Each structure stands twice: as structure tokens, then as C-alpha cells.
Amino acid sequence: GESVGLHLPTLSVQEGDNSIINCAYSNSASDYFIWYKQESGKGPQFIIDIRSNMDKRQGQRVTVLLNKTVKHLSLQIAATQPGDSAVYFCAENSNQAGTALIFGKGTTLSVSS
Amino acid sequence: EPEVTQTPSHQVTQMGQEVILRCVPISNHLYFYWYRQILGQKVEFLVSFYNNEISEKSEIFDDQFSVERPDGSNFTLKIRSTKLEDSAMYFCASSRGQRAQPQHFGDGTRLSIL
């Protein structure tokens, strides 16, 4: 989705801090969302997904929050590690888009130790 | 853990030449996709494929593009007459189901058109 003032292209954190990466999606009809991590020279790697009937989903060290009222998605990474340094993308899907995932602009997370 | 594999990792081609990018999706997945990412930009959807047919395609996927599943394991993207603006990373992905299912991506083929 496109960002409207919430998207930060880069985020720098210290090792051990919690990171929050934001994404504002564009289509109010979107009902499925995914976060991907992309390391240099690699393809997008699935992190976590959430359907629109939920507002929160937790994984291992990651939490995704969905606010449909303001069309906002966030990814929280607990105890960020240097290995978390990568570009993070949100992607949305809707019935209108069929099988296509619509990717947002990425956020580059840099973790310093 | 099963993964999507793509070959080659880097392809350099003269403008006007044909290229074929190859992918082996995850074996029990039924839906296959191609995306591209121009340097520094978003990942963009090209096409989805199911049951030996194109399910959806984007405006980018014009007549110079085609996809094929020539056998039980490979999934290919052909660009008939390459243009300079086709230079990008091309990612293959696959998923178990059609909607609301995670799509798993390969590491891509970097296509450079000279």
C-alpha cells in the first residue's frame, strides 16, 4: 500500500530494543495482509500474516497489528537483533486484486550492536 | 524447509533477445506467480498461474511476456524481445491456495538488458 505520512523509509535501532515498522495500506477492501523481510540479494521472506477479521496476531518475537479504521498495519519486533537488519515490506490482498499481492514501499531496518 | 528455487541468479542479455527465467515452486503448492522489482522500487505483480492457465495478469504483463509450466516441476517466464526497461529482479512465488494464503518467494533472477 502507499504510505501517507506514516511510512519511514529507514529505521535505526540498537540491539535489544523493540522495533515498530508502520505501513498505511491503500485499499479499504483489502482483507489479507502479509509482512515480508528482504535481505540483500534475496527474495522476500514471509514473516507473518493477518486476516481482516483479526486486529492482532503474534509470532515468534513479532506481532502484527491491524487497524482497519485508519487502514494501518504495523510490525513489532521484540528484542531486535543484528540479523533483523533488512528491508521490510507490507503487502495487501483483496478480492478485487484476486491473487495479486500489492506491495508497499519498504522500510530499511538497521540494527546496531 | 521447502523453498522456491530460481535459475539463473543473474542473466545478462542484449536488447531484443529472448530470455527464459526458470523457477521450481514448492512441490505441494498449486498457485504460481511472477513478480518483478526494479532497483530501489516496490515489488510489482506480473502474473498468476493455476491449473495450466493464467489466473490474473497486470498491465505490465503485455504480449512480450508468457508463462509456461512445461513439466510437473518447472514454471517459466519468457520475455520475447527484451527492452532496456525490462532490467529488474524477477521473483517467482508459489502458494497452496488462491487467496489469503502466504506466497513464498524465491531469491530471484537479476535480469540485465544491455
Side-chain angles (χ1 to χ4, degrees):
Chain A
E2 298 292 331
S3 66
V4 187
L6 289 171
H7 173 252
L8 292 176
T10 61
L11 177 65
S12 296
V13 301
Q14 291 283 326
E15 182 178 1
D17 287 351
N18 296 332
S19 303
I20 299 176
I21 300 170
N22 294 306
C23 177
Y25 62 93
S26 54
N27 186 354
S28 56
S30 290
D31 58 2
Y32 179 66
F33 305 89
I34 302 182
W35 280 101
Y36 284 97
K37 172 186 181 184
Q38 188 177 25
E39 295 173 287
S40 181
K42 300 232 172 195
Q45 176 189 354
F46 170 77
I47 303 173
I48 191 166
D49 59 358
I50 188 167
R51 291 174 172 75
S52 59
N53 60 353
M54 304 172 72
D55 51 25
K56 180 179 179 178
R57 189 156 188 237
Q58 286 184 289
Q60 189 174 11
R61 278 202 309 120
V62 294
T63 301
V64 55
L65 299 177
L66 175 62
N67 185 331
K68 293 181 287 293
T69 305
V70 294
K71 294 191 288 184
H72 180 252
L73 194 67
S74 69
L75 177 71
Q76 300 178 1
I77 305 173
T80 316
Q81 301 166 1
D84 295 326
S85 295
V87 181
Y88 289 81
F89 292 96
C90 65
E92 61 187 292
N93 181 240
S94 65
N95 267 324
Q96 296 163 352
T99 52
L101 289 177
I102 309 302
F103 279 75
K105 296 174 188 172
T107 294
T108 300
L109 175 66
S110 299
V111 183
S112 51
S113 49
Chain B
E1 187 176 316
E3 55 183 31
V4 174
T5 56
Q6 290 185 244
T7 54
S9 56
H10 191 190
Q11 173 83 46
V12 182
T13 303
Q14 291 287 332
M15 188 172 58
Q17 295 296 305
E18 175 184 285
V19 292
I20 298 176
L21 310 183
R22 302 179 193 279
C23 169
V24 178
I26 295 173
S27 61
N28 62 349
H29 286 185
L30 300 177
Y31 294 84
F32 315 119
Y33 314 86
W34 284 101
Y35 289 80
R36 81 170 185 194
Q37 186 178 32
I38 294 171
L39 187 63
Q41 297 187 23
K42 298 184 205 181
V43 178
E44 300 174 288
F45 170 77
L46 293 178
V47 66
S48 60
F49 191 85
Y50 169 70
N51 199 26
N52 283 320
E53 287 185 347
I54 290 175
S55 302
E56 275 114 14
K57 59 183 180 180
S58 71
E59 290 175 356
I60 303 167
F61 193 88
D62 60 23
D63 290 344
Q64 68 164 343
F65 290 92
S66 61
V67 288
E68 193 178 32
R69 188 153 164 84
D71 54 44
S73 59
N74 289 287
F75 178 52
T76 62
L77 174 70
K78 183 193 289 186
I79 309 175
R80 243 180 296 281
S81 177
T82 49
K83 303 192 273 276
L84 292 176
E85 54 264 38
D86 294 327
S87 296
M89 283 292 291
Y90 287 81
F91 293 107
C92 174
S94 68
S95 65
R96 279 205 191 103
Q98 181 180 12
R99 281 257 298 128
Q101 296 276 328
Q103 296 180 16
H104 296 274
F105 284 73
D107 283 338
T109 293
R110 178 173 299 282
L111 179 62
S112 300
I113 308 301
L114 305 179

